């Protein structure tokens, strides 16, 4: 039920990212001409003045779940991948491997999309001099800052192109037309689709354990059943796995729909677009607000109807961290009216 409602929420959110894209902060831009030649130097697009607050511009960019292996992100990644440049010489050999795989991925995208702007990037990557570029890096260069490209006088960002987004969705997705890929009934949408061994997007914003966590995962024989691998014990298709994670991350990132504690976090939402925010009522209840005043006085009258009892579905989930995994501590499936009634008792 939890995953279904999160996916339903994602479907109603027009700001959800494209498949296998996530919100990313672009710190540096490489401007190219149509022939792949570079315009100027690597440009720092951060507007902050302090080094520890420098971020950049927030955009949707290709995403991939990484651990210790080498897995490039398409057209937007860290310096070792994009340029093969690191400041620590002991990491240079790995950076060269990362860069080689990044270039290979760009070339595959070029061939698949036939986009001139991607071809320009491919040309640049085949001809640029890393050592020359390294000597002209912006002051305070951060190798962990994300770099992407803009091409032509119109400064087109290829990561925004529909054809590039479609290539990335296909490249990172599971081919459900491959007869060797087993099909499962997805526990969310109930359709026969390939089930992911590992879900592609981790949850952030929950205290405890590691910074990024998985909501659905299994890594030891005691957690497996029916001969299924990893997360296939709870078969979930790619689109549903992305949808629930994006929805939950959006809830946890918004102070109106989440509540942080020392050892966990809560997320709240409604099925319809209702003006009912729990977190502000709990964090900073103001008796002069009409809603809080009604909630506080309703118990005196014993008249629930005085609150105009709202039957719109309301959901809440309580989460905490355990290593790289989330623990679901509470799951509430009720209505806005019942939630208001209980908040009135609380006040």
């Amino acid at each position: 039920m939890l995953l279904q409602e999160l996916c339903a929420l994602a479907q109603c959110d027009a700001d959800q990212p494209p498949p296998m894209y996530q919100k990313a902060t672009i710190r540096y831009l490489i401007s190219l001409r149509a022939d792949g030649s570079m315009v100027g130097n690597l440009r720092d697009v951060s507007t902050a003045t302090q080094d520890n607050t420098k971020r950049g511009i927030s955009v949707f960019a290709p995403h991939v779940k990484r651990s210790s292996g080498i897995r490039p992100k398409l057209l937007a990644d860290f310096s070792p991948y994009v340029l093969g440049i690191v400041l620590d010489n002991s990491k240079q050999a790995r950076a060269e491997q990362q860069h080689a795989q990044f270039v290979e991925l760009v070339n595959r995208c070029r061939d698949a999309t036939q986009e001139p702007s991607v071809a320009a990037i491919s040309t640049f990557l085949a001809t640029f001099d890393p050592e020359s570029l390294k000597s002209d890096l912006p002051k305070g260069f951060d190798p962990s800052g994300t770099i992407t490209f803009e091409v032509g006088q119109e400064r087109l960002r290829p990561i925004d192109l529909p054809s590039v987004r479609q290539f990335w969705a296909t490249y990172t997705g599971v081919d459900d037309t491959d007869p060797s890929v087993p099909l499962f009934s997805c526990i969310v949408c109930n359709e026969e689709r390939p089930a992911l061994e590992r879900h592609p997007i981790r949850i952030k914003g929950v205290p405890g354990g590691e910074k990024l966590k998985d909501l659905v995962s299994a890594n030891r024989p005691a957690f497996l059943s029916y001969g299924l691998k990893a997360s296939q014990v709870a078969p979930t298709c790619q689109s549903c796995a992305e949808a629930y994670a994006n929805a939950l991350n959006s809830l946890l990132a918004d102070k109106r729909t989440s509540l942080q504690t020392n050892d966990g976090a809560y997320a709240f939402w409604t099925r319809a677009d209702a003006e009912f925010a729990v977190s502000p009522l709990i964090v900073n209840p103001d008796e002069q607000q009409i809603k809080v005043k009604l909630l506080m006085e309703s118990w005196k009258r014993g008249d629930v109807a005085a609150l105009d009892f709202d039957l719109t579905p309301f959901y809440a989930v309580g989460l905490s961290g355990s290593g790289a995994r989330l623990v679901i501590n509470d799951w509430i499936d009720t209505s806005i009216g019942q939630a208001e009634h209980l908040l009135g008792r609380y006040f």
Side-chain angles (χ1 to χ4, degrees):
M1 187 64 176
L2 168 61
L3 298 185
Q4 283 91 336
E5 293 303 335
L6 286 171
C7 284
L9 178 65
Q11 293 173 0
C12 298
D13 188 351
D15 295 327
Q16 289 296 304
M20 287 310 296
Y21 269 58
Q22 288 286 284
K23 206 69 158 178
T25 301
I26 303 298
R27 175 71 184 273
Y28 302 103
L29 277 173
I30 297 175
S31 296
L32 301 177
R33 299 180 182 90
D35 62 1
S37 59
M38 190 172 178
V39 180
N41 299 321
L42 183 70
R43 192 165 85 252
D44 188 343
V45 294
S46 169
T47 57
T49 56
Q50 300 295 324
D51 288 340
N52 61 352
T53 61
K54 285 192 172 182
R55 299 281 293 170
I57 56 177
S58 181
V59 300
F60 286 132
H63 166 79
V64 70
K65 192 175 180 180
R66 287 200 286 233
S67 54
S68 58
I70 295 177
R71 296 188 69 188
K73 299 177 182 179
L74 180 65
L75 299 175
D77 212 324
F78 305 143
S79 170
Y81 279 97
V82 179
L83 303 172
I85 292 177
V86 288
L87 303 183
D88 183 351
N89 290 331
S90 66
K91 299 179 180 179
Q92 186 60 48
R94 180 177 173 85
E96 291 173 0
Q97 295 175 355
Q98 292 170 316
H99 179 63
Q101 291 196 25
F102 180 86
V103 172
E104 180 184 356
L105 178 59
V106 171
N107 291 341
R108 291 183 66 169
C109 180
R110 173 202 63 197
D111 296 341
T113 64
Q114 296 294 304
E115 287 286 354
S117 58
V118 180
I121 295 171
S122 178
T123 301
F124 165 78
L125 293 173
T127 57
F128 86 102
D129 179 10
E131 290 303 318
S132 175
L133 190 60
K134 192 172 182 178
S135 64
D136 290 321
L137 292 175
K139 181 181 178 181
F141 176 70
D142 180 7
S144 66
T146 299
I147 303 171
T148 195
F149 300 86
E150 58 182 19
V151 181
Q153 293 183 345
E154 65 277 14
R155 294 189 173 182
L156 170 73
R157 285 198 300 259
I159 59 172
D160 296 334
L161 293 173
S163 60
V164 171
R165 291 180 170 182
Q166 181 58 51
F167 166 81
W168 186 240
T170 303
Y171 179 82
T172 54
V174 180
D175 184 3
D176 55 7
T177 64
D178 185 347
S180 65
V181 176
L183 301 180
F184 299 83
S185 179
C186 174
I187 62 171
V188 180
C189 66
N190 206 33
E191 295 186 13
E192 292 288 320
R193 293 180 176 177
L196 302 181
E197 287 191 20
R198 288 170 180 81
H199 291 192
I201 299 172
R202 286 178 170 155
I203 308 303
K204 51 192 174 183
V206 179
E210 297 181 12
K211 185 176 181 180
L212 300 176
K213 305 173 182 67
D214 289 309
L215 181 59
V216 178
S217 68
N219 67 333
R220 294 183 181 179
F223 309 139
L224 305 178
S225 59
Y226 300 106
L228 300 176
K229 298 178 181 179
S231 299
Q232 289 180 340
V233 293
T236 311
C237 70
Q238 173 110 10
S239 59
C240 289
E242 287 187 59
Y244 84 68
N246 286 329
L248 185 53
N249 279 330
S250 294
L251 291 170
L252 291 169
D254 190 337
K255 291 184 178 180
R256 286 179 55 83
T257 56
S258 66
L259 178 65
Q260 296 278 335
T261 67
N262 292 332
D263 55 1
Y266 292 86
F268 314 96
W269 72 100
T270 60
R271 185 176 292 177
D273 186 15
E275 290 295 326
F276 178 59
V278 173
S279 296
L281 291 175
I282 296 176
V283 174
N284 186 29
D286 181 358
E287 186 178 346
Q288 298 310 309
Q289 295 178 17
I290 295 176
K291 178 62 68 175
V292 176
K293 191 173 182 65
L294 284 172
L295 292 174
M296 292 180 70
E297 293 179 351
S298 63
W299 70 273
K300 299 178 183 177
R301 298 191 300 271
D303 183 9
V304 176
L307 292 178
D308 189 21
F309 205 81
D310 191 337
L311 296 177
T312 302
F314 168 82
Y315 307 101
V317 61
L319 303 164
S320 61
S322 177
R325 291 171 176 78
L326 284 180
V327 178
I328 300 175
N329 299 314
D330 294 291
W331 165 240
I332 297 174
D333 176 358
T334 184
S335 67
I336 289 179
Q338 182 66 10
E340 289 178 333
H341 177 57
L342 294 174
L343 280 168
R345 290 179 57 186
Y346 167 74
F347 286 130

